[in-house]
């Protein structure tokens, strides 16, 4: 009887995988010996993120954050030219520099202040970018060790940037707008839409006329402009919708046809940073110490609940994946707490 053909020895299959593993290991080891400048390393990182579908604005932020980091290195560590020279101690020195020494508006004569140090949230955003880069370089074997591995985000105070505007501050802001000017009228509409819907400023500047449903009084934020890449539809009050349509009509009179609602004085699509700068000027004129687009979002969230709205609906409108985030948005001061207590205390109906 002839013997059945034997199966290929297992050791042969293992041998092939061992060869493959050795080749991969050799390739990885070769990467470690490649000295990359920060510019070269950034391009590798950006190319990978573009392949993952990262948005252009995020890519732009990567370049800005690296530029700021390299400015720090050129001033304090001029000999550090490659990512392989990066250490945890250098990054900690960078954090201290951002917190204690960096002027928030250095180089901007209109806004430059004597105060030093960036906001904790701003520092953590820059660290998040650096953390993502270092992790990528380590995983791709350009770094032996990740210098960001033991660097933690800065802790925030409980009373942080989660506050909104007071009624007095909002009245002061609107009072300085001369709506006879197109730019002031446009900015008023922006403020009112922010206040009416809690929309993010980066979503707002991408709103098009086709996103509005006048009959249903809704605004649809398509997935391509939404922060979380999920489409959502939010209600708009009748008066604000009317102003949006009025702005669109003025756009058609002054500029070339465009779908975008919010335009510059030259007819180009408005940028979020442009509105931030203009809002700062309005705040200065109105005597308000601090004003950011995101404060309108917090104001909307707070006042929505104070008016009787429920937190679950608010979560959907604000596009929060976690309701804990929605709760953090709602910072009530002492006056708001007292007001709500007076309105809703169970004891009040028994006291006459």
């Amino acid at each position: 009887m002839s013997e059945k053909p034997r199966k290929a020895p297992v050791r042969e299959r293992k041998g092939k995988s061992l060869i493959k593993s050795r080749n991969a290991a050799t390739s990885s080891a070769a990467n470690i010996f490649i000295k990359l400048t920060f510019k070269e390393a950034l391009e590798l990182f950006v190319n990978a993120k573009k392949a993952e579908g990262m948005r252009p604005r995020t890519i732009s932020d990567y370049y800005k954050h690296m530029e700021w980091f390299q400015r720090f290195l050129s001033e304090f560590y001029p000999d550090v030219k490659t990512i392989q020279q990066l250490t945890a101690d250098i990054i900690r020195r960078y954090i201290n520099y951002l917190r204690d020494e960096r002027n928030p508006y250095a180089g901007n004569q209109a806004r430059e202040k004597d105060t030093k140090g960036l906001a904790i949230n701003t520092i953590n955003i820059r660290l998040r970018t650096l953390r993502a880069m270092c992790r990528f370089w380590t995983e791709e074997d350009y770094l032996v060790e990740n210098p960001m591995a033991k660097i933690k985000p800065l802790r925030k105070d409980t009373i942080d940037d989660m506050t909104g505007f007071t009624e007095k501050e909002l009245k002061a802001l609107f009072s300085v707008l001369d709506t006879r000017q197109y730019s002031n009228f446009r900015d008023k509409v922006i403020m009112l839409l922010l206040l009416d819907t809690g929309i993010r400023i980066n979503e707002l500047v991408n709103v098009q006329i086709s996103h509005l449903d006048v009959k249903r009084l809704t605004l649809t934020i398509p997935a391509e402009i939404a922060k979380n890449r999920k489409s959502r539809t939010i209600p708009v009050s009748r008066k604000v919708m009317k102003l949006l349509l009025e702005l669109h009509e003025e756009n058609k009179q002054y500029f070339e046809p465009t779908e975008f609602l919010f335009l510059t004085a030259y007819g180009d699509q408005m940028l979020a940073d442009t509105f931030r700068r203009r809002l700062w000027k309005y705040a200065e004129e109105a005597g308000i110490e601090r004003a950011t687009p995101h404060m309108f979002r917090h104001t909307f969230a707070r006042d929505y609940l104070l008016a009787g709205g429920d937190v679950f609906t608010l979560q959907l409108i604000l596009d929060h994946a976690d309701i804990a985030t929605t709760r953090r948005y709602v910072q009530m001061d002492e006056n708001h707490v007292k007001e709500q207590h007076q309105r809703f205390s169970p004891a009040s109906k028994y006291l006459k």
Side-chain angles (χ1 to χ4, degrees):
M1 181 182 295
S2 60
E3 295 182 359
K4 292 182 179 180
R6 290 192 297 268
K7 295 181 180 179
V10 174
R11 62 176 179 273
E12 288 184 15
R13 294 199 297 272
K14 284 186 177 180
K16 290 180 181 178
S17 64
L18 283 173
I19 293 171
K20 186 176 181 181
S21 298
R22 289 192 193 102
N23 289 338
T26 302
S27 176
S28 297
N31 279 353
I32 293 174
F33 292 103
I34 297 175
K35 303 299 181 185
L36 291 174
T37 66
F38 286 93
K39 182 178 179 181
E40 292 168 338
L42 174 61
E43 290 303 323
L44 285 172
F45 175 76
V46 166
N47 285 336
K49 292 303 172 183
K50 283 182 178 178
E52 294 173 8
M54 196 65 69
R55 289 177 172 167
R57 181 177 176 273
T58 305
I59 298 297
S60 176
D61 286 343
Y62 290 150
Y63 282 108
K64 289 179 184 177
H65 293 177
M66 179 55 76
E67 180 185 353
W68 291 326
F69 183 55
Q70 285 190 276
R71 287 182 186 177
F72 162 79
L73 291 176
S74 64
E75 181 175 354
F76 297 98
Y77 297 92
D79 294 333
V80 175
K81 302 293 186 182
T82 67
I83 61 170
Q84 285 77 17
Q85 295 172 277
L86 197 55
T87 65
D89 286 338
I90 292 175
I91 295 170
R92 291 189 181 101
R93 175 69 180 87
Y94 180 54
I95 294 171
N96 291 333
Y97 165 75
L98 293 176
R99 186 176 54 192
D100 302 327
E101 301 175 41
R102 175 85 164 98
N103 190 308
Y105 304 108
N108 187 336
Q109 294 181 355
R111 300 186 68 184
E112 195 162 0
K113 299 181 180 180
D114 293 331
T115 55
K116 301 292 184 180
L118 302 182
I120 289 176
N121 189 55
T122 302
I123 296 173
N124 283 336
I125 289 173
R126 297 191 186 183
L127 290 180
R128 189 165 63 225
T129 296
L130 194 55
R131 181 174 288 105
M133 289 179 179
C134 288
R135 183 171 58 246
F136 170 80
W137 296 329
T138 305
E139 290 174 351
E140 293 292 314
D141 296 308
Y142 292 106
L143 292 177
V144 177
E145 293 183 2
N146 184 349
M148 283 292 296
K150 296 181 179 180
I151 305 294
K152 298 179 179 180
L154 272 66
R155 294 182 179 179
K156 301 179 184 179
D157 294 332
T158 53
I159 303 175
D160 53 13
D161 293 340
M162 306 296 275
T163 54
F165 292 107
T166 65
E167 185 176 343
K168 182 179 179 181
E169 287 173 332
L170 284 173
K171 286 181 178 179
L173 267 180
F174 285 117
S175 70
V176 301
L177 296 173
D178 180 3
T179 53
R180 293 173 299 179
Q181 299 180 32
Y182 168 81
S183 59
N184 279 227
F185 172 66
R186 176 207 59 211
D187 292 344
K188 180 179 181 179
V189 177
I190 289 176
M191 292 182 198
L192 287 169
L193 185 59
L194 291 170
L195 199 58
D196 189 47
T197 62
I199 188 176
R200 300 176 180 93
I201 186 61
N202 289 311
E203 294 172 337
L204 180 144
V205 294
N206 285 289
V207 167
Q208 300 181 21
I209 188 65
S210 58
H211 299 159
L212 300 177
D213 188 324
V214 180
K215 291 183 179 179
R216 295 175 58 208
L217 293 177
T218 57
L219 166 62
T220 297
I221 310 298
E224 58 266 24
I225 69 173
K227 179 181 178 181
N228 293 330
R229 302 198 177 198
K230 293 188 299 181
S231 176
R232 72 186 190 279
T233 299
I234 52 181
V236 179
S237 66
R238 190 175 301 277
K239 290 183 178 180
V240 172
M241 180 67 77
K242 183 179 178 181
L243 287 172
L244 290 170
L245 297 177
E246 187 177 336
L247 177 64
H248 179 58
E249 288 301 316
E250 290 205 22
N251 290 343
K252 290 196 294 184
Q253 291 178 28
Y254 297 139
F255 311 117
E256 294 294 324
T258 177
E259 280 289 301
F260 290 106
L261 267 178
F262 301 103
L263 308 175
T264 69
Y266 300 98
D268 301 320
Q269 181 188 358
M270 193 170 186
L271 301 177
D273 282 343
T274 302
F275 177 71
R276 288 189 182 96
R277 290 192 294 269
R278 294 182 64 83
L279 179 61
W280 182 86
K281 291 180 180 178
Y282 295 139
E284 189 176 42
E285 188 177 345
I288 299 173
E289 185 175 345
R290 180 172 173 271
T292 68
H294 220 65
M295 289 176 67
F296 287 98
R297 187 166 162 87
H298 292 298
T299 305
F300 165 78
R302 181 197 67 208
D303 290 1
Y304 181 88
L305 292 183
L306 287 174
D310 69 274
V311 69
F312 299 104
T313 304
L314 179 62
Q315 178 189 4
L316 295 175
I317 294 173
L318 293 178
D319 190 31
H320 288 156
D322 188 348
I323 200 166
T325 306
T326 311
R327 291 196 178 101
R328 286 201 302 271
Y329 262 59
V330 186
Q331 298 291 330
M332 305 288 183
D333 63 25
E334 186 177 345
N335 290 331
H336 287 124
V337 173
K338 287 181 178 178
E339 179 186 339
Q340 292 300 288
H341 180 267
Q342 291 294 324
R343 290 179 61 189
F344 300 112
S345 171
S348 61
K349 60 185 175 183
Y350 302 107
L351 299 171
K352 294 183 180 178

